[in-house]
Amino acid sequence: MSKFLLSLHVLAAIVAVGPVTVAASMFPAAARRVPVPVAVGGADGGGDVRTVRLLHRICRVYAGLGIAVPVLGFATAASMGVLGDAWLIASVTLTAVAAGLLAAFVLPRQEELLEQLADGQPVERARTVRLAMFTGLFNLLWAAVTILMIVRPGSTTGA
């Protein structure tokens, strides 16, 4: 049963978290490429609000699906008897921080920029840079969780 739960956990992480990390990383640059209205003096920058809207939708939808990752992770850890291991506690903590960062900083800032673009207003580069920073931190946290899940320092269940 542990192998089945672990397989589901890994698949959920790939299918749910992967798209969020990619779409969130693409969002700031895509927002910068959206042309400002001619009245504001901008030329076609090669971007489109529809692309930015799609990237935000991917982030929102797959973030919701991402709830399956910790649920399946806890089920897997319980079946393996490792719920109290330090590597798992660290992974859970980093996952919670990543989820909080996504919910409190990444998604709301994406929504603000999307509203601004939908209203035909140009976005400030500083705002997209801050969003890129939060997105990078989110991705870095997921990378650390992935490494902990593979290496499992102090674990008695594997390598």
Side-chain angles (χ1 to χ4, degrees):
M1 183 59 132
S2 294
K3 289 182 182 185
F4 176 71
L5 288 171
L6 181 59
S7 297
L8 289 178
H9 172 63
V10 170
L11 283 171
I14 292 168
V15 170
V17 179
V20 175
T21 60
V22 172
S25 295
M26 293 173 67
F27 187 97
R32 281 192 295 268
R33 283 192 303 269
V34 174
V36 293
V38 176
V40 179
D44 183 6
D48 189 345
V49 175
R50 292 176 301 191
T51 301
V52 178
R53 190 174 287 120
L54 175 63
L55 291 171
H56 177 62
R57 178 183 284 155
I58 290 169
C59 290
R60 270 193 357 255
V61 169
Y62 283 90
L65 295 174
I67 300 296
V69 176
V71 169
L72 290 166
F74 277 117
T76 303
S79 74
M80 294 173 71
V82 296
L83 280 173
D85 287 8
W87 64 269
L88 184 72
I89 294 167
S91 294
V92 169
T93 302
L94 293 175
T95 298
V97 172
L101 191 62
L102 182 67
F105 294 99
V106 175
L107 294 176
R109 281 180 168 75
Q110 285 182 351
E111 289 169 11
E112 291 168 5
L113 289 172
L114 189 53
E115 287 173 14
Q116 197 174 351
L117 290 169
D119 290 341
Q121 300 172 359
V123 297
E124 295 175 32
R125 181 169 174 77
R127 294 185 74 199
T128 60
V129 168
R130 277 192 298 276
L131 174 58
M133 177 192 66
F134 289 123
T135 300
L137 289 172
F138 171 78
N139 293 343
L140 186 61
L141 288 167
W142 275 115
V145 169
T146 302
I147 291 167
L148 281 172
M149 290 291 160
I150 293 169
V151 175
R152 299 182 293 178
S155 171
T156 59
T157 60

